[in-house]
Amino acid sequence: MTIKHTLTLRNLLILFCIAMLVLIGLKGIDINRKMAWVDEAGRYYDQKDLIAAEEWYQKASNNNSIHYKEDLIAKRLLELQPITLMKQTLSQLDQRAERTGSGQDFTGFLQVYNELQSAQSKYMNTGDRFAAYYPKISAGFGISDDITRYFQQFKALFYSQLDDRLSQGQTDEATPKWNLQAIPDVFYGGANEKTKQLTAKFKDFDEKLMSKLAGEGKFPELLDVSQSMMSQYQGRKLTAPWVKTKAEELARIILKKDVEGNQPANYALHAKAYEAYAKSAGIKSSLLSEIDRQIRKWITAAQRKVKNNDFEGAIAIYEALSSYQDTTNEIKKAKLAWTVHDPLRLLQQTDQTKNYSHVSGGGNRFGGSAYAIGSDDSNTVYFAKMNDDESVQILSTHDFPSNINIRQISVEKSLSTKAAPVILVEGDSNSRNALYAAYEVHDGGMTQLFLFDADSYEVQADRSLLVAHPNGVEGDGGTSQNAIYMRQGDSYQFMGYQKDYTDINVNDLLSHSNEKIRFTCYIVYGGEGDALAQMGDSYVKLHGNYSFYDGMNVTVTGLFSQFEDVYPGGDQLGELISVPVVDVENME
């Protein structure tokens, strides 16, 4: 063993001894402390300062350097356990209040506050000797001051958030608003002061927000926000009459601008939105009756336009109001009236490329709500009908001569029926006053009833035609030029000329004075221009531009209107007799 090795071992032993002495000294200090702490705790306990006593007993209990009066310490701590629990609870709440408050966690902070209130109620309402110590412990932590300070900070934060939302045009105001409402009354200075402050703030904010939305033309958003506000206030049993009032005021302003700007379409949209809003929100508003009056004014204006034949204007109003109420029927009626007034529209619904002329029409006839007739440049004749379902049926015929100028086209009322109209076409004629053509309309097409040149025609009671001077037909009408046409199947056929005389027996002549008659007689005394013919036991004088011969049987047509004294046979020595005179127009 060397000298160096011997010195090292000695040093280690010395250091070990020193360390042991230090530990023994510290142990002794801890022993003295525990004994002193127990004594200190006992003094506070005897002085009824149980908060300090609990603190020193806790220190002594945590000092394990010596077993000293352990039973006493345990007994006292058990006795002072309510104070221990108060301190632990308030310490934890104070820490959480600081964390949630500084972190702007309002929900967590409210929970801390509610738990603090529960703790206070729990510990102060026990009725035992420890209840009085709760305020002292709470004050020691300063938790009430912290709670007050953070609630004031939250108030300022939420006021600021409302202002920010308003400036940014955000409509989600509920969170800061109801956070302000959730702050307890005491931090406003009482319930009345809280109501006063928040009512003023909420009213100012709500009205500014709604005005901003209205100013930006966001009418639906305005109503949605208003309804949402009312629902939220009602859900919290708060009264906010300014919401309904302001919404109505702004809606009235917007609707008034629509009226002044003659914007029925915008008015209808805004009015319908407001009506739905009022119904959904369950509110009564005088604006609803104003809306109803204004809508009726526009409806009346549209009806007046229809009467004045301004159909486009009327339809424009009806279509503009369609978003407020169903105007389908009114639009349909206006369009129908327009078509009746301007039947060209009906023809153009099937082909707008044609040039139609001689157009006319009407409404509620021939099984349809409207009809139109006309022709095109090639003399094609058209009949169009609008059915009740607004479908259009159009028929045409090419039978009218394409080289004849059409003067007019009309409905031949005397030949038409409810189901089958007859279209009359009048054209130029080289030989007579006009060329007449008629076409009967059926579901399958148009059938030509007649086509003739004549001076005129008329429909008789039996639906036959009396045609004046028809061209190109032969018949015996005496002196008459009025031909009779009768319907045979699907067309009218010439049946002969109309007789303008009455066939009689010569013996009945005296009963037909001033009538054109025709009779057969025997000429007794002939001559140029005059003759006496036998009439029973007497005579009748025939006068006319004819040569009459004795002994002839003739059939004459003429007019008896006077008597004349004559000598039979021309013998003036004979007896003078008075006989009827017939002015002969025709002799056969």
PDB file of all heavy atoms in Angstrom, residues 15-29:
ATOM      1  N   LEU A  15     -15.061  12.589   4.489  1.00  0.00           N
ATOM      2  CA  LEU A  15     -16.221  13.151   3.770  1.00  0.00           C
ATOM      3  C   LEU A  15     -17.514  12.445   4.163  1.00  0.00           C
ATOM      4  O   LEU A  15     -18.569  13.067   4.314  1.00  0.00           O
ATOM      5  CB  LEU A  15     -15.996  13.011   2.265  1.00  0.00           C
ATOM      6  CG  LEU A  15     -14.888  13.894   1.657  1.00  0.00           C
ATOM      7  CD1 LEU A  15     -14.666  13.563   0.197  1.00  0.00           C
ATOM      8  CD2 LEU A  15     -15.252  15.372   1.828  1.00  0.00           C
ATOM      9  N   PHE A  16     -17.410  11.157   4.359  1.00  0.00           N
ATOM     10  CA  PHE A  16     -18.592  10.401   4.755  1.00  0.00           C
ATOM     11  C   PHE A  16     -19.083  10.843   6.114  1.00  0.00           C
ATOM     12  O   PHE A  16     -20.289  11.005   6.348  1.00  0.00           O
ATOM     13  CB  PHE A  16     -18.270   8.905   4.749  1.00  0.00           C
ATOM     14  CG  PHE A  16     -19.403   8.043   5.219  1.00  0.00           C
ATOM     15  CD1 PHE A  16     -20.506   7.787   4.395  1.00  0.00           C
ATOM     16  CD2 PHE A  16     -19.394   7.477   6.505  1.00  0.00           C
ATOM     17  CE1 PHE A  16     -21.540   6.992   4.857  1.00  0.00           C
ATOM     18  CE2 PHE A  16     -20.443   6.682   6.937  1.00  0.00           C
ATOM     19  CZ  PHE A  16     -21.526   6.437   6.107  1.00  0.00           C
ATOM     20  N   CYS A  17     -18.162  11.054   6.987  1.00  0.00           N
ATOM     21  CA  CYS A  17     -18.534  11.479   8.349  1.00  0.00           C
ATOM     22  C   CYS A  17     -19.177  12.857   8.326  1.00  0.00           C
ATOM     23  O   CYS A  17     -20.149  13.133   9.042  1.00  0.00           O
ATOM     24  CB  CYS A  17     -17.281  11.477   9.238  1.00  0.00           C
ATOM     25  SG  CYS A  17     -16.636   9.827   9.571  1.00  0.00           S
ATOM     26  N   ILE A  18     -18.580  13.714   7.522  1.00  0.00           N
ATOM     27  CA  ILE A  18     -19.156  15.068   7.416  1.00  0.00           C
ATOM     28  C   ILE A  18     -20.589  14.993   6.890  1.00  0.00           C
ATOM     29  O   ILE A  18     -21.484  15.676   7.398  1.00  0.00           O
ATOM     30  CB  ILE A  18     -18.285  15.939   6.508  1.00  0.00           C
ATOM     31  CG1 ILE A  18     -16.904  16.196   7.157  1.00  0.00           C
ATOM     32  CG2 ILE A  18     -18.968  17.261   6.187  1.00  0.00           C
ATOM     33  CD1 ILE A  18     -15.905  16.879   6.251  1.00  0.00           C
ATOM     34  N   ALA A  19     -20.809  14.177   5.890  1.00  0.00           N
ATOM     35  CA  ALA A  19     -22.143  14.047   5.303  1.00  0.00           C
ATOM     36  C   ALA A  19     -23.127  13.528   6.324  1.00  0.00           C
ATOM     37  O   ALA A  19     -24.270  13.986   6.416  1.00  0.00           O
ATOM     38  CB  ALA A  19     -22.084  13.117   4.096  1.00  0.00           C
ATOM     39  N   MET A  20     -22.701  12.575   7.089  1.00  0.00           N
ATOM     40  CA  MET A  20     -23.581  12.028   8.103  1.00  0.00           C
ATOM     41  C   MET A  20     -23.942  13.082   9.119  1.00  0.00           C
ATOM     42  O   MET A  20     -25.095  13.181   9.581  1.00  0.00           O
ATOM     43  CB  MET A  20     -22.910  10.824   8.765  1.00  0.00           C
ATOM     44  CG  MET A  20     -22.757   9.613   7.856  1.00  0.00           C
ATOM     45  SD  MET A  20     -24.346   8.995   7.266  1.00  0.00           S
ATOM     46  CE  MET A  20     -25.112   8.506   8.806  1.00  0.00           C
ATOM     47  N   LEU A  21     -22.940  13.887   9.500  1.00  0.00           N
ATOM     48  CA  LEU A  21     -23.208  14.944  10.478  1.00  0.00           C
ATOM     49  C   LEU A  21     -24.226  15.944   9.913  1.00  0.00           C
ATOM     50  O   LEU A  21     -25.105  16.430  10.640  1.00  0.00           O
ATOM     51  CB  LEU A  21     -21.888  15.642  10.848  1.00  0.00           C
ATOM     52  CG  LEU A  21     -20.896  14.814  11.688  1.00  0.00           C
ATOM     53  CD1 LEU A  21     -19.564  15.555  11.831  1.00  0.00           C
ATOM     54  CD2 LEU A  21     -21.489  14.521  13.069  1.00  0.00           C
ATOM     55  N   VAL A  22     -24.103  16.256   8.621  1.00  0.00           N
ATOM     56  CA  VAL A  22     -25.059  17.199   7.982  1.00  0.00           C
ATOM     57  C   VAL A  22     -26.467  16.624   8.002  1.00  0.00           C
ATOM     58  O   VAL A  22     -27.442  17.311   8.328  1.00  0.00           O
ATOM     59  CB  VAL A  22     -24.619  17.513   6.548  1.00  0.00           C
ATOM     60  CG1 VAL A  22     -25.708  18.305   5.814  1.00  0.00           C
ATOM     61  CG2 VAL A  22     -23.326  18.308   6.545  1.00  0.00           C
ATOM     62  N   LEU A  23     -26.582  15.374   7.615  1.00  0.00           N
ATOM     63  CA  LEU A  23     -27.912  14.740   7.596  1.00  0.00           C
ATOM     64  C   LEU A  23     -28.515  14.695   8.989  1.00  0.00           C
ATOM     65  O   LEU A  23     -29.716  14.923   9.159  1.00  0.00           O
ATOM     66  CB  LEU A  23     -27.790  13.329   7.028  1.00  0.00           C
ATOM     67  CG  LEU A  23     -27.456  13.241   5.522  1.00  0.00           C
ATOM     68  CD1 LEU A  23     -27.250  11.787   5.116  1.00  0.00           C
ATOM     69  CD2 LEU A  23     -28.592  13.868   4.702  1.00  0.00           C
ATOM     70  N   ILE A  24     -27.660  14.384   9.937  1.00  0.00           N
ATOM     71  CA  ILE A  24     -28.171  14.338  11.320  1.00  0.00           C
ATOM     72  C   ILE A  24     -28.639  15.715  11.743  1.00  0.00           C
ATOM     73  O   ILE A  24     -29.661  15.900  12.395  1.00  0.00           O
ATOM     74  CB  ILE A  24     -27.078  13.792  12.274  1.00  0.00           C
ATOM     75  CG1 ILE A  24     -26.808  12.316  11.979  1.00  0.00           C
ATOM     76  CG2 ILE A  24     -27.474  13.966  13.721  1.00  0.00           C
ATOM     77  CD1 ILE A  24     -25.593  11.740  12.718  1.00  0.00           C
ATOM     78  N   GLY A  25     -27.890  16.747  11.291  1.00  0.00           N
ATOM     79  CA  GLY A  25     -28.280  18.111  11.638  1.00  0.00           C
ATOM     80  C   GLY A  25     -29.610  18.497  11.002  1.00  0.00           C
ATOM     81  O   GLY A  25     -30.469  19.108  11.645  1.00  0.00           O
ATOM     82  N   LEU A  26     -29.733  18.116   9.710  1.00  0.00           N
ATOM     83  CA  LEU A  26     -30.996  18.442   9.009  1.00  0.00           C
ATOM     84  C   LEU A  26     -32.163  17.698   9.625  1.00  0.00           C
ATOM     85  O   LEU A  26     -33.261  18.237   9.761  1.00  0.00           O
ATOM     86  CB  LEU A  26     -30.869  18.074   7.528  1.00  0.00           C
ATOM     87  CG  LEU A  26     -29.889  18.942   6.701  1.00  0.00           C
ATOM     88  CD1 LEU A  26     -29.760  18.396   5.291  1.00  0.00           C
ATOM     89  CD2 LEU A  26     -30.372  20.398   6.663  1.00  0.00           C
ATOM     90  N   LYS A  27     -31.896  16.475   9.986  1.00  0.00           N
ATOM     91  CA  LYS A  27     -32.950  15.696  10.619  1.00  0.00           C
ATOM     92  C   LYS A  27     -33.385  16.338  11.905  1.00  0.00           C
ATOM     93  O   LYS A  27     -34.573  16.431  12.218  1.00  0.00           O
ATOM     94  CB  LYS A  27     -32.415  14.276  10.890  1.00  0.00           C
ATOM     95  CG  LYS A  27     -33.397  13.321  11.562  1.00  0.00           C
ATOM     96  CD  LYS A  27     -34.445  12.851  10.561  1.00  0.00           C
ATOM     97  CE  LYS A  27     -35.311  11.755  11.155  1.00  0.00           C
ATOM     98  NZ  LYS A  27     -36.370  11.298  10.262  1.00  0.00           N
ATOM     99  N   GLY A  28     -32.401  16.839  12.572  1.00  0.00           N
ATOM    100  CA  GLY A  28     -32.725  17.484  13.837  1.00  0.00           C
ATOM    101  C   GLY A  28     -33.529  18.737  13.609  1.00  0.00           C
ATOM    102  O   GLY A  28     -34.447  19.058  14.379  1.00  0.00           O
ATOM    103  N   ILE A  29     -33.174  19.462  12.546  1.00  0.00           N
ATOM    104  CA  ILE A  29     -33.944  20.692  12.231  1.00  0.00           C
ATOM    105  C   ILE A  29     -35.375  20.335  11.910  1.00  0.00           C
ATOM    106  O   ILE A  29     -36.315  20.993  12.384  1.00  0.00           O
ATOM    107  CB  ILE A  29     -33.274  21.435  11.064  1.00  0.00           C
ATOM    108  CG1 ILE A  29     -31.896  21.972  11.496  1.00  0.00           C
ATOM    109  CG2 ILE A  29     -34.161  22.571  10.569  1.00  0.00           C
ATOM    110  CD1 ILE A  29     -31.092  22.562  10.351  1.00  0.00           C
TER     111      ILE A  29
END
